[in-house]
Amino acid sequence: MRRVLGAVTALPLLLAGVVSCGPAGEEPWDVEVAVGGLAPGPLEPRRDHSLVWTGAEVLVWGGHGASQHAPFPDGAAYSPAADTWRPVAASGLEPRTRHSTVVVGERVLIWGGFTPTHSGGPDAHLARDGALYDPGSDSWEPVARAPEGRSLARGVAVDGRVVLGGGFSQRGGSDFLVYSPEEDSWHTVPLAGGDEGFTVYDIAVLDDTAVAVGSFDARRAVPVEGSAAGGSVAAEDSGTFVTVFGADDAVAPVRLLSGLAEAGEASVFTGLAVSPEGRALLALRGEESASLYEIGAGGRAKLVDRLDSAGFRPPVSSLTHPLLSGEMDFVDGLGLVATAPGEVGLWDPEAGRSRRLQVEALSGHCGPLVPAADGVLFGWGGLGCGSAGIRVDIGA
């Protein structure tokens, strides 16, 4: 996780008690959780908005209220050091919701999403445009239009470029979209074998490459890296796949993962994160168990830890994807931290222990949470919540 720049002031403590669930018979894991409120912000309540940590501030932009067809065009930035908000300059973009937000260098890319205006073309209400926001100058720069519009795409910054994958597309494509801020240009990186039958769930950064995980429709047989003669795989070998590729690669090689205990279940939660040591970790949770795998450079998966309890919940659901996605990251001293509305999940793979944290103040927050400093998360937004903004401090 990125560290907070400057000191973080103490916030009013709302509740320090913890209700935590772990595997039966497991030694108790003493975790301290403090939940505090943020200063009131200048924005109306909303959902499906941007919530991103820039390195010094929490940026909120866009989203919608009661109707998705009436999104907001405004934003604001919260400073933890001062416990204050500042309005964000007008972006020049059409109001939108369920857009993608990625920090790249010193700027933030706002791209895509659902707009109230129909394009008249195959993208319908999905936007192909976006803009780069500079927090230092409080200014925006429009970017070139992408090859297609999407909403809820997940994105990362890879070697100075933005790589976007997954989400919802009217065209049904699952190519990765790559934007270069230096050249103000886009290109696509297709998955090997074509884009039909693939669903990208999550994406992370490993060194100068992107690592993505998703599912494959067993009704199709496609070329797969390392497959048998003929370059295709049988339907029974289909299921979960990973891909590791660079932003300039012509194609993203697909490797199907076999032997995953949870992969064949009807409801699976998935998440990717990279440890401080540079290990790409894939978390899968089914109905009865959760497993953690390390993804190697060639896309192979090695089991790291398995929990009999399904108390840890990665952020992306195979049933509701791309909706209801949270965040998962790695924190020194805590291990994996996964967020969802109303809860935080912890998994320490070194000790083989997990915790599902639920406190009264956290359960009243129905908006997203974003990691900032080690053990510190910020949340803002959600409709029908008792508190619009919260800060969560977690200590082992």
Side-chain angles (χ1 to χ4, degrees):
M1 293 184 180
R2 300 180 182 88
R3 295 181 180 274
V4 176
L5 301 182
V8 177
T9 58
L11 299 178
L13 181 66
L14 296 184
L15 189 63
V18 175
V19 177
S20 58
C21 306
E26 181 185 278
E27 289 295 323
W29 185 7
D30 293 330
V31 179
E32 297 180 356
V33 179
V35 181
L38 307 185
L43 302 177
E44 296 181 50
R46 62 194 66 189
R47 60 182 298 182
D48 293 334
H49 50 281
S50 295
L51 185 71
V52 65
W53 174 246
T54 67
E57 296 176 312
V58 179
L59 176 65
V60 178
W61 191 87
H64 67 91
S67 171
Q68 182 181 345
H69 290 270
F72 294 104
D74 58 352
Y78 171 77
S79 168
D83 189 26
T84 58
W85 291 83
R86 63 175 180 85
V88 167
S91 67
L93 295 173
E94 183 179 7
R96 63 195 62 200
T97 183
R98 299 179 178 178
H99 45 280
S100 300
T101 309
V102 182
V103 177
V104 52
E106 300 298 321
R107 296 186 290 178
V108 182
L109 175 67
I110 302 285
W111 175 83
F114 181 95
T115 68
T117 303
H118 195 289
S119 66
D123 288 324
H125 286 277
L126 301 184
R128 296 169 57 190
D129 65 340
L132 285 163
Y133 175 69
D134 186 339
S137 61
D138 188 28
S139 62
W140 296 81
E141 179 183 348
V143 304
R145 290 166 62 85
E148 67 176 69
R150 289 190 192 177
S151 64
L152 296 169
R154 296 177 74 87
V156 292
V158 180
D159 195 24
R161 272 71 59 85
V162 175
V163 178
L164 295 156
F168 177 74
S169 168
Q170 290 285 359
R171 308 183 187 201
S174 59
D175 291 350
F176 293 95
L177 304 175
V178 181
Y179 174 70
S180 170
E182 182 177 354
E183 300 175 357
D184 189 28
S185 63
W186 293 83
H187 70 273
T188 60
V189 178
L191 283 161
D195 61 1
E196 294 183 12
F198 291 105
T199 300
V200 175
Y201 290 147
D202 203 3
I203 186 170
V205 181
L206 179 62
D207 298 324
D208 290 332
T209 61
V211 182
V213 62
S215 66
F216 168 67
D217 188 343
R219 292 171 294 182
R220 288 199 67 215
V222 298
V224 173
E225 179 182 292
S227 62
S232 64
V233 293
E236 59 266 27
D237 293 329
S238 304
T240 301
F241 76 88
V242 297
T243 179
V244 182
F245 63 98
D248 293 323
D249 289 354
V251 67
V254 174
R255 180 174 293 277
L256 300 184
L257 301 180
S258 60
L260 307 183
E262 296 77 15
E265 299 185 26
S267 176
V268 179
F269 288 87
T270 306
L272 278 173
V274 175
S275 73
E277 297 80 21
R279 302 167 67 196
L281 301 174
L282 166 63
L284 293 176
R285 185 196 112 165
E287 296 179 1
E288 301 295 336
S289 64
S291 298
L292 188 65
Y293 301 89
E294 180 177 357
I295 306 300
R300 293 180 175 85
K302 176 184 177 183
L303 181 65
V304 174
D305 193 20
R306 176 166 290 159
L307 301 170
D308 292 335
S309 168
F312 181 86
R313 186 173 71 176
V316 184
S317 167
S318 61
L319 293 181
T320 61
H321 175 79
L323 296 173
L324 302 178
S325 296
E327 299 289 339
M328 190 173 82
D329 210 332
F330 205 99
V331 177
D332 288 336
L334 294 175
L336 286 173
V337 176
T339 65
E343 69 175 68
V344 176
L346 306 178
W347 189 348
D348 181 357
E350 297 297 326
R353 58 188 181 179
S354 67
R355 275 293 181 267
R356 181 181 177 188
L357 303 178
Q358 296 174 298
V359 297
E360 182 179 347
L362 185 57
S363 65
H365 176 71
C366 57
L369 291 163
V370 62
D374 290 345
V376 180
L377 301 93
F378 293 98
W380 190 91
L383 299 178
C385 301
S387 175
I390 62 171
R391 167 177 169 166
V392 183
D393 290 82
I394 306 174

